[in-house]
Amino acid sequence: MRPGFSARLRAGTGRLLMRAATALLGHQGANWARAMQAEIDTIGHEPAGAPDAGREALGFAWGCFCTAAGHALAAAFAGLAQAHNAGLAACVTTVLLGCVFMLGAGAPSPYALMNLLSLALAVASFCLLPRQRLAQDEALRARLACALGALLLGAALAPTPAGASAWLKLGPVQLNLPWLLLPALLVAADVRAVPAARPWALGGLLMACGAFALLAEPVLAGLLAAVLSQRAWRRRSGALALLALAAWGTALHVRAAWQAPEAAPFVDQVLQHGLAQGLATGIALTGLQLLPLWPALRHRHARQHGLVWGLVVLCSLPGWLPSPLVGFGGSFIGAYLLSLALLPQDTQSRPLQARSFPRRPRTWPPANRRARLQPSR
């Protein structure tokens, strides 16, 4: 006897739900998916006299789909709970919505295209970097900080036109080296647990200070000085205090010959431009500008990263620096993800598994159950 339309509809819906559940479970849940499908097949092969077999199979498929969706959502939120993933999501969201704002506000279309291309390059580089090794090896991060300082000093010593900064061209994307490397240098130089690695980090910071003196960059020198001052006060470090004084002196020395650049539309003072268009647009852009600070608000080991980027945002408000991530320019997009990849390991949080699952009792079976299992005399 040919099944009716309602029976065929229930069967087709059940198959779709099971395919969706299998896709949500992925490779790691392949055994669960096979067990669910076997249960569905068992219900479907019940005798024809069981009129509720189709409804039971559909209900079971719906339960499988809800369970798989719950596991997928839990895995997604667990991934966002990590600082690297949270920062990557914040960066991508900020850049994409910034491109939407630029296109809606009448910016030239190449602006949004270049930001998207810079984001793609930055995300690819972020995924290729050995983030786990960088997070665990503090000595490696310190040596990398020294290498970044040497790159800054080399770029400052390279012959450039008077008053011009150092730029790196990657195809159609142009990156400002001081803007690109300074946030990563400050995050990588945050050395705490390995005393032998501190000279490398201090050397990188000293070379960066010299590079900003040669490039006549008082804003970046002041940003360097502010971060080092906070770090020296927190650790009671004389070496960091001397470096902070040197950075403050550099900023004050080169400030006399420095002039604030003229504000370029959709590059500088983007928040003010949004407020001029409307209060709602200005509030939305303010939230977007603060979104990259999200990892620092949720993770203790990302606070130095948040301090650096909070200072970058503050320096962008008067137009001393371009508006990071929301405005046109790929330098700060790459700088954000590069500095995010250099975050140290979080040593103050316990493994997720230890918090999620209860410990097995020291005695197994429990004492009361063992007493029940004793044979009666």
Side-chain angles (χ1 to χ4, degrees):
M1 182 178 179
R2 187 176 181 180
F5 175 76
S6 59
R8 293 199 302 272
L9 181 62
R10 284 195 295 265
T13 306
R15 286 193 294 270
L16 288 177
L17 289 173
M18 286 305 303
R19 288 178 183 176
T22 302
L24 288 172
L25 288 173
H27 178 70
Q28 295 181 350
N31 293 331
W32 287 2
R34 284 194 291 268
M36 291 175 182
Q37 188 60 51
E39 186 69 20
I40 288 287
D41 295 339
T42 301
I43 298 175
H45 284 86
E46 288 186 359
D52 294 335
R55 291 198 186 101
E56 184 180 353
L58 180 60
F60 184 79
W62 174 251
C64 293
F65 171 76
C66 292
T67 303
H71 279 282
L73 287 175
F77 281 111
L80 287 178
Q82 301 177 4
H84 284 145
N85 295 338
L88 179 61
C91 178
V92 172
T93 303
T94 304
V95 174
L96 292 180
L97 293 181
C99 291
V100 171
F101 164 74
M102 285 191 289
L103 291 176
S109 55
Y111 282 17
L113 181 61
M114 294 300 295
N115 268 20
L116 292 176
L117 183 57
S118 301
L119 178 64
L121 291 174
V123 170
S125 302
F126 178 79
C127 295
L128 291 175
L129 288 173
R131 299 190 302 275
Q132 184 174 3
R133 182 184 175 189
L134 289 171
Q136 297 174 352
D137 195 341
E138 195 170 65
L140 177 61
R141 292 199 308 274
R143 293 187 178 91
L144 186 57
C146 186
L148 293 175
L151 282 176
L152 281 173
L153 186 59
L157 292 173
T160 54
S165 187
W167 290 84
L168 174 66
K169 188 173 182 181
L170 296 176
V173 179
Q174 290 188 350
L175 303 175
N176 185 294
L177 278 178
W179 299 345
L180 175 68
L181 300 181
L182 178 60
L185 168 60
L186 290 173
V187 174
D190 188 16
V191 178
R192 305 179 186 183
V194 183
R198 291 173 188 169
W200 293 93
L202 293 176
L205 294 170
L206 184 60
M207 286 187 283
C209 185
F212 297 146
L214 294 172
L215 292 171
E217 290 278 0
V219 177
L220 297 182
L223 194 152
L224 174 65
V227 174
L228 291 180
S229 299
Q230 185 270 344
R231 202 171 289 178
W233 174 264
R234 189 187 62 193
R235 301 183 189 174
R236 303 296 190 269
S237 172
L240 289 176
L242 290 176
L243 268 178
L245 287 176
W248 283 121
T250 300
L252 292 175
H253 176 70
V254 300
R255 181 180 177 274
W258 178 80
Q259 292 182 353
E262 295 184 4
F266 305 105
V267 179
D268 305 301
Q269 298 181 337
V270 174
L271 297 185
Q272 289 87 325
H273 183 65
L275 285 171
Q277 291 192 349
L279 181 61
T281 304
I283 293 176
L285 284 175
T286 303
L288 275 184
Q289 195 71 86
L290 296 177
L291 185 59
L293 307 181
W294 177 29
L297 298 176
R298 293 178 52 87
H299 302 276
R300 184 185 298 270
H301 64 292
R303 288 182 180 176
Q304 285 294 304
H305 183 268
L307 172 65
V308 172
W309 284 99
L311 291 174
V312 170
V313 172
L314 286 178
C315 291
S316 70
L317 295 179
W320 299 342
L321 290 176
S323 298
L325 304 184
V326 297
F328 170 61
S331 301
F332 282 125
I333 298 175
Y336 183 86
L337 291 183
L338 179 59
S339 58
L340 184 70
L342 296 174
L343 284 180
Q345 186 177 14
D346 186 8
T347 58
Q348 303 201 3
S349 65
R350 293 179 298 173
L352 182 63
Q353 186 177 3
R355 294 196 304 265
S356 300
F357 300 97
R359 295 182 179 180
R360 176 175 289 186
R362 294 182 180 179
T363 59
W364 188 263
N368 56 352
R369 182 169 177 80
R370 189 187 302 117
R372 296 179 186 177
L373 293 176
Q374 293 292 337
S376 58
R377 296 181 180 178

